[in-house]
Amino acid sequence: MENTKHWVSIWGNAASISDNKPERYTKNMTLRYPIYVPFSGESIRLTFDNFNGTEDVKISKVSVLYKGEFYPVFYDGEREMTIPTEGKIVTDALDIKVEAEDTLEVSFYFADFAQMRASVVVTGPLSQGFYSDGDQTETVELDSATTRATQQFYFLTNVSLLTEKENRAIVCFGDSITAQAWPDYLKLRCKEEGFNHTAVVRRAVSGSRILREYDCNIYECYGVSGMKRYPHDVPTDGADTVIILHGINDIIHPVGVEENEFRPWSDLPTVEDMIEGFKKYVKLARELGYKVYAGTLLPMAEWRTDAPIRQELRHAYNEFLRTTDLVDGIIDFDKEMQDLENPDRLIAEYDSGDHLHPGAVGHKKMAMLVPKELLK
């Protein structure tokens, strides 16, 4: 009999590095993450990733809460599971039927000291987790006195669902702009407009660059370079398309060692450097059988490191994206979100206030700019 089901990622994050702070270890703590389910399925598996970890991490228990009932999660038949240094694990399949537009919650508990190095910060209406004292893997309502909300997502980088063949995922790959809300608004748009066979999976790290990475405590949370991240983050169960919005940090970060010893001018790429990096992204996507949509880099006038040389580089890179035949389509965020009186500046209502990152209205606009053809 022909297999009519396949595994599709319904939620995901990049594997990055936590900010290096004194509280880099935890003990006797539960993390809980609500996961929106875009379409129905009959089995779940979870990926826990320690890609940038320097120690093995032991998770004492994992559970899934769905419709008021807890389901234990196993790895190789055991409740306790260890994520190896720089490695990842995929749990045993959990046979549980879930319905479209529901929410399930993944909880995992650290009984012993664990290095909290592998995480990413993301925001948006569907992106909030919780951490709570003690073992709460079978507690329906977390105690508000011992629980706090967090936008820091540790270790859990993928939730996949065994589902019908027509269901699929698209991957949003990028930096802080994509780590913010527009992928969540794109999920909500799919729900509202009836694109009910498409999941949106975010793979984004604030501060990340295509070509460079930082080797210092203060900035290592900006993650590994896109050249290393992309092959690790982009292969995704059931995905057939990647949206790439990446490169602005390559342009805005270098300031010279006189101002910041970790941001030399030698880090500033040429447009040819950036194009070469983008071509490598496309090559891997094609090897995976994915379509590729490129997002142009957003306006950034009045950002704190704005300068003519940076604008020139941004324009040159965007022009390449608009004219290349390497991709299946362009999402021209730059054109659609620029102030007509000053095209290098975001429209005020789209601006978060820092003149680089969109606010909520801007993120909603970005979600609406994704072509319908990509969501069907």
Side-chain angles (χ1 to χ4, degrees):
M1 181 181 296
E2 183 182 357
N3 185 3
T4 61
K5 305 284 197 304
H6 70 150
W7 289 99
V8 179
S9 174
I10 58 171
W11 178 95
N13 272 318
S16 190
I17 305 173
S18 306
D19 197 359
N20 199 333
K21 294 181 177 179
E23 57 270 26
R24 70 186 72 182
Y25 286 85
T26 194
K27 181 180 180 181
N28 191 32
M29 185 187 76
T30 299
L31 287 165
R32 179 171 294 180
Y33 298 120
I35 308 297
Y36 172 72
V37 181
F39 37 70
S40 301
E42 60 186 43
S43 189
I44 293 167
R45 61 188 185 192
L46 313 175
T47 300
F48 292 98
D49 203 322
N50 196 20
F51 182 49
N52 300 293
T54 59
E55 300 175 10
D56 293 355
V57 171
K58 183 170 69 176
I59 302 177
S60 303
K61 289 182 184 178
V62 182
S63 69
V64 169
L65 173 61
Y66 182 63
K67 292 189 173 180
E69 185 173 350
F70 281 99
Y71 299 85
V73 177
F74 299 88
Y75 174 65
D76 282 349
E78 302 291 335
R79 288 298 304 271
E80 186 176 277
M81 53 190 78
T82 299
I83 321 171
T85 304
E86 297 184 350
K88 65 181 177 181
I89 58 174
V90 179
T91 64
D92 302 344
L94 171 63
D95 293 333
I96 170 179
K97 292 186 177 181
V98 295
E99 298 176 3
E101 301 183 11
D102 277 350
T103 297
L104 59 86
E105 298 182 45
V106 177
S107 299
F108 45 105
Y109 172 60
F110 304 94
D112 301 318
F113 280 111
Q115 184 192 48
M116 306 299 282
R117 178 172 169 82
S119 77
V120 67
V121 176
V122 297
T123 60
L126 300 176
S127 297
Q128 180 172 277
F130 303 90
Y131 60 96
S132 191
D133 293 346
D135 180 3
Q136 308 299 332
T137 54
E138 296 183 5
T139 302
V140 175
E141 296 292 337
L142 297 175
D143 185 350
S144 60
T146 56
T147 300
R148 294 187 68 178
T150 181
Q151 258 70 54
Q152 195 105 23
F153 285 74
Y154 292 93
F155 303 113
L156 183 66
T157 58
N158 207 71
V159 178
S160 288
L161 184 64
L162 187 62
T163 186
E164 300 296 333
K165 282 288 188 181
E166 63 264 27
N167 296 329
R168 37 86 76 160
I170 60 175
V171 177
C172 300
F173 180 84
D175 46 46
S176 59
I177 292 173
T178 301
Q180 294 179 355
W182 77 264
D184 276 6
Y185 286 120
L186 186 57
K187 293 180 187 183
L188 294 174
R189 179 186 167 198
C190 287
K191 174 183 176 181
E192 292 161 2
E193 297 185 13
F195 298 115
N196 50 17
H197 297 300
T198 299
V200 178
V201 178
R202 174 167 41 200
R203 309 289 192 196
V205 178
S206 293
S208 103
R209 295 177 284 177
I210 299 173
L211 302 169
R212 319 288 188 206
E213 61 189 44
Y214 292 104
D215 185 21
C216 57
N217 283 350
I218 190 172
Y219 294 126
E220 69 174 352
C221 60
Y222 287 167
V224 298
S225 70
M227 293 295 95
K228 295 179 184 177
R229 276 186 54 221
Y230 190 91
H232 182 272
D233 289 346
V234 171
T236 296
D237 290 341
D240 58 24
T241 301
V242 59
I243 301 173
I244 302 170
L245 175 58
H246 203 209
I248 196 65
N249 291 316
D250 295 77
I251 296 171
I252 66 173
H253 275 208
V255 293
V257 294
E258 299 82 8
E259 186 171 340
N260 188 314
E261 63 178 307
F262 302 114
R263 297 185 173 187
W265 278 117
S266 59
D267 274 3
L268 187 71
T270 65
V271 69
E272 290 78 15
D273 292 334
M274 295 181 67
I275 289 170
E276 188 61 31
F278 181 82
K279 287 179 177 178
K280 291 179 180 179
Y281 288 167
V282 174
K283 182 176 183 294
L284 178 60
R286 299 308 189 196
E287 291 171 358
L288 294 168
Y290 292 0
K291 292 183 178 180
V292 179
Y293 281 72
T296 53
L297 303 183
L298 277 65
M300 46 158 280
E302 299 178 35
W303 169 253
R304 60 178 176 263
T305 64
D306 181 29
I309 190 174
R310 303 185 201 277
Q311 294 290 0
E312 290 169 10
L313 183 52
R314 186 178 69 87
H315 289 312
Y317 184 63
N318 281 348
E319 186 60 22
F320 161 76
L321 296 178
R322 292 185 181 109
T323 56
T324 183
D325 60 1
L326 294 175
V327 300
D328 297 279
I330 292 294
I331 306 173
D332 205 338
F333 296 119
D334 175 43
K335 180 181 177 182
E336 298 297 330
M337 300 181 69
Q338 63 186 225
D339 186 329
L340 294 180
E341 294 183 2
N342 180 357
D344 287 335
R345 183 173 58 204
L346 281 168
I347 294 173
E349 68 175 315
Y350 297 158
D351 194 340
S352 67
D354 69 9
H355 313 302
L356 177 70
H357 301 91
V361 175
H363 282 291
K364 291 176 183 177
K365 174 67 174 180
M366 291 179 70
M368 293 304 298
L369 291 174
V370 176
K372 287 186 178 182
E373 67 191 53
L374 201 156
L375 304 177
K376 293 179 180 178

